[in-house]
Amino acid sequence: MTSPKRVYLWVFLALILFLVITLNFNIRAIQEENTKRSEQKSIYDEIRILCMIPYNYKNPNSAKYVKRTWGKHCNVLLFVSGDVDGELEPYVPVANSTDTWTLVHKGLIHAFQMFGDKADWFLRAEDYNFVVLENLRYMIDHKKYLPSQPIYFGYELENIYTHEPFIFFKSGYVLSHEALKRYTDLSKDLQNEHCVHMEGFTEDVELQRCLSYMNVTTVDCRDELGHETFSPIPMDYHFIEGYSFIPWLKNLSFKKVEEETVPLSSRAISFRVQYPPEMYDYYYFVYKMRIFGQFLPNSVEFQPQ
């Protein structure tokens, strides 16, 4: 019969072994987390992104949600509006202007002139977009795009007259340093007929016309599966109504698919938020929540019914 002392000894040794294994596991987890943070810090410094958000000065709340959530992950955060605001501190190119294309046009030029040495890429987003900057940096790095290339990208639509792609501005888009340099330089030329800004015109078509003239091309920002990273459909309707929420979208999408909704990447970059205060929810789920255990990809097939 085993003596009580021997039983205690085995229990003690088992406890020591458990503590050693637990400590080793925690140390490895901390090391992996530190490595991950180091990699994120490195790519944050290497791929510098300016985020430009035009907004209507009569309704600044949506832009404030951006500043309080995902805007903190930009290298430079610039708001553009028609009036001053104590929290947002926007650039005001035209007093009392609510014309988005005017704000964007002048805001892009201002962004390059004032921050061209502090940013390599220039993201133009709506005040109802939620953008995951880490995924944007990853995509740029993974595809080996360079700021010296004259390129821009986002969700591509087809121009029904030229059949060329242009970027749907409501999903947000990104300009390389070289692309914005060319845009800024040509905009200074008062004799040019290709980048003439006119109030009320459609931003995405006019921008494409101007950039195309300067040999700035759209490039693919989909993932390795061909899934989109910039969502054109508000997330409230993406999985339920899909393309039917925007009847013209499927036919005018430059990259045609058979699915009933836009195939969205697991490394998505930009979302359209129907109700801007939900940005707090998005921020929690993207940056704060942790899932216990190891996630098994494709363990459940999730598709709209």
Side-chain angles (χ1 to χ4, degrees), residues 128-269:
Y128 52 71
N129 290 143
F130 186 95
V131 181
V132 183
L133 272 298
E134 290 75 10
N135 284 355
L136 174 55
R137 293 188 180 96
Y138 169 82
M139 188 277 294
I140 292 172
D141 182 66
H142 182 69
K143 290 185 177 287
K144 314 238 180 268
Y145 291 146
L146 300 173
S148 58
Q149 295 174 298
I151 58 177
Y152 79 122
F153 54 82
Y155 187 83
E156 293 181 315
L157 298 178
E158 181 181 357
N159 187 312
I160 60 175
Y161 299 106
T162 65
H163 301 291
E164 294 178 347
F166 68 94
I167 305 302
F168 187 39
F169 77 92
K170 290 187 177 182
S171 300
Y173 55 82
V174 178
L175 294 151
S176 70
H177 190 278
E178 176 61 23
L180 188 52
K181 178 182 182 299
R182 295 187 184 189
Y183 182 84
T184 302
D185 288 345
L186 191 59
S187 297
K188 294 177 184 176
D189 181 5
L190 300 179
Q191 303 301 317
N192 88 83
E193 299 178 353
H194 300 275
C195 290
V196 179
H197 167 260
M198 300 184 72
E199 184 174 327
F201 273 46
T202 304
E203 171 187 345
D204 36 24
V205 176
E206 287 299 298
L207 184 69
Q208 186 273 336
R209 184 171 65 86
C210 178
L211 293 177
S212 179
Y213 173 75
M214 295 179 292
N215 296 316
V216 176
T217 58
T218 62
V219 292
D220 193 4
C221 60
R222 296 174 300 167
D223 66 14
E224 58 274 13
L225 300 176
H227 295 168
E228 299 287 350
T229 54
F230 286 73
S231 175
I233 302 173
M235 293 308 295
D236 287 4
Y237 304 95
H238 180 88
F239 295 107
I240 301 174
E241 297 184 44
Y243 280 117
S244 62
F245 180 72
I246 308 177
W248 52 263
L249 183 63
K250 189 167 187 176
N251 290 334
L252 287 186
S253 292
F254 192 74
K255 304 282 195 320
K256 302 292 193 294
V257 296
E258 296 299 324
E259 289 90 339
E260 292 304 315
T261 191
V262 177
L264 198 57
S265 172
S266 60
R267 291 196 181 96
I269 294 169

Side-chain angles (χ1 to χ4, degrees), residues 43-50 75 116-121:
I43 199 171
Y44 176 88
D45 293 331
E46 292 173 4
I47 300 178
R48 301 174 303 169
I49 299 173
L50 178 146
N75 296 84
D117 61 338
K118 296 180 177 62
D120 309 301
W121 301 89

Side-chain angles (χ1 to χ4, degrees), residues 85-100:
D85 183 274
E87 179 178 348
L88 300 173
E89 300 179 321
Y91 165 59
V92 182
V94 180
N96 301 321
S97 175
T98 57
D99 181 67
T100 302

Side-chain angles (χ1 to χ4, degrees), residues 52-56 78-82 90-93 102-104 106-108 110:
M52 188 187 82
I53 319 294
Y55 71 92
N56 188 328
L78 171 66
F79 293 96
V80 185
S81 184
Y91 165 59
V92 182
T102 296
L103 297 176
V104 170
K106 293 186 178 296
L108 287 174
H110 175 79

